[in-house]
Amino acid sequence: MQQLVEYAAQLRDMYGFRVHKLKGGVFHPDYELECYLALANAFPEDRLRYDPNAALSVEDAIRFGRAIEHVNNDYYEDPTFGLNGNRRVREFVRIPIATNTFVINFEQLSANILQPAIDVILLDTTFWGGIRPCVKAAAVCETFQLPIAVHSSGELGIQLATMLHLGAVLPNLTYAADAHYHHLLDDVIQGGKLRYENGCIRVPDGPGLGVELDHEKLGEYAELYKRLGGYPYDRDPARKDWFPLIPNTRWANHRA
């Protein structure tokens, strides 16, 4: 837990972040609750988000959400599975519920407007299929006074450029955008990684998206992919016999 707080402080000093997102759903929710509250105590003037990747049961999601209502939260992201599950959580928790998982097309958006389960729609040019549908979705959300935010898929520089251009043209974007970009060691665009300035990245101003592909880097990482294979997004390398469950009941041991 102390390591987590120290790491957040390091990122805060290095990049200027003032919003912290705890990606959870790995350890027991009681321990992740302790971690989240430790972050809140360490940075009382900053804002926080918790995302257990829909791994919690409805009951655990309600219990967790009610325990953090007093914290300076932005939103509670994908606490449990599905629109109906999150609708049940929303009834009992006084924090905006967000998703990048269960409202990712216009049919789901209309269903959510008719029977609200999600308060904050997290737009992503991967999930929604590009900049244009995200802009259209943002306009629908503005009409019905649904807040929006920009989600991160762990993108490289080309998709990051799409996200930056998207965020720059959305008048109803009031939340800080998600980013995993600071975790990357390198990029496949010319000039290397885009740079943070006071917690922000400038919108590229060149032709098109404003970035250009570095073909040598692309070849280098294509060869690396052939050697290492794909990223096991839904697996834990430290628990080879574990598979994701909804809701999860086999939590990792934080003392291991």
Side-chain angles (χ1 to χ4, degrees):
M1 187 186 312
Q2 185 59 33
Q3 183 184 28
L4 174 68
V5 173
E6 291 174 355
Y7 182 57
Q10 177 186 348
L11 295 178
R12 191 178 189 273
D13 293 341
M14 185 179 301
Y15 299 112
F17 298 151
R18 295 296 181 268
V19 180
H20 311 278
K21 176 175 173 177
L22 179 60
K23 241 339 189 178
V26 177
F27 301 111
H28 193 282
D30 289 348
Y31 178 68
E32 293 193 355
L33 175 60
E34 292 181 41
C35 292
Y36 193 74
L37 294 178
L39 287 171
N41 291 332
F43 313 108
E45 297 181 358
D46 295 353
R47 300 192 65 82
L48 297 172
R49 305 164 179 181
Y50 176 64
D51 175 11
N53 293 297
L56 303 183
S57 67
V58 170
E59 292 73 20
D60 277 342
I62 292 171
R63 183 170 59 86
F64 193 109
R66 296 182 72 165
I68 64 171
E69 285 182 343
H70 65 288
V71 172
N72 195 18
N73 300 289
D74 265 350
Y75 46 71
Y76 191 12
E77 182 178 342
D78 289 328
T80 196
F81 184 80
L83 286 177
N84 194 58
N86 282 288
R87 187 176 296 113
R88 291 180 59 202
V89 173
R90 185 175 181 266
E91 291 177 6
F92 295 97
V93 176
R94 295 177 298 175
I95 305 171
I97 305 296
T99 189
N100 78 286
T101 306
F102 305 115
V103 179
I104 55 172
N105 59 47
F106 289 96
E107 183 176 6
Q108 293 167 353
L109 180 57
S110 63
N112 184 67
I113 289 169
L114 290 171
Q115 291 184 295
I118 304 298
D119 301 292
V120 183
I121 306 302
L122 305 182
L123 298 174
D124 185 315
T125 55
T126 297
F127 286 81
W128 280 85
I131 297 176
R132 181 170 293 178
C134 285
V135 172
K136 291 173 64 177
V140 174
C141 290
E142 185 177 29
T143 300
F144 290 94
Q145 295 183 304
L146 279 177
I148 60 170
V150 173
H151 176 258
S152 174
S153 295
E155 53 276 342
L156 295 173
I158 295 175
Q159 190 195 351
L160 176 62
T162 71
M163 304 289 253
L164 292 170
H165 283 284
L166 171 66
V169 300
L170 300 181
N172 52 331
L173 177 62
T174 57
Y175 289 104
D178 268 356
H180 293 286
Y181 197 64
H182 52 286
H183 296 303
L184 299 182
L185 298 178
D186 200 5
D187 206 338
V188 294
I189 56 175
Q190 292 184 14
K193 289 179 60 179
L194 301 175
R195 302 180 68 176
Y196 283 98
E197 301 175 27
N198 298 319
C200 303
I201 300 177
R202 292 181 181 273
V203 179
D205 58 4
L209 292 174
V211 295
E212 293 186 36
L213 183 64
D214 185 324
H215 292 276
E216 289 188 9
K217 285 286 186 184
L218 180 63
E220 175 185 340
Y221 289 114
E223 290 301 318
L224 183 65
Y225 176 83
K226 291 177 183 178
R227 294 202 310 271
L228 300 181
Y231 171 62
Y233 187 80
D234 59 348
R235 298 300 308 277
D236 184 347
R239 295 185 290 163
K240 297 187 183 302
D241 63 341
W242 178 87
F243 290 86
L245 301 173
I246 299 294
N248 188 30
T249 56
R250 299 173 59 199
W251 308 104
N253 182 2
H254 65 275
R255 295 186 176 88

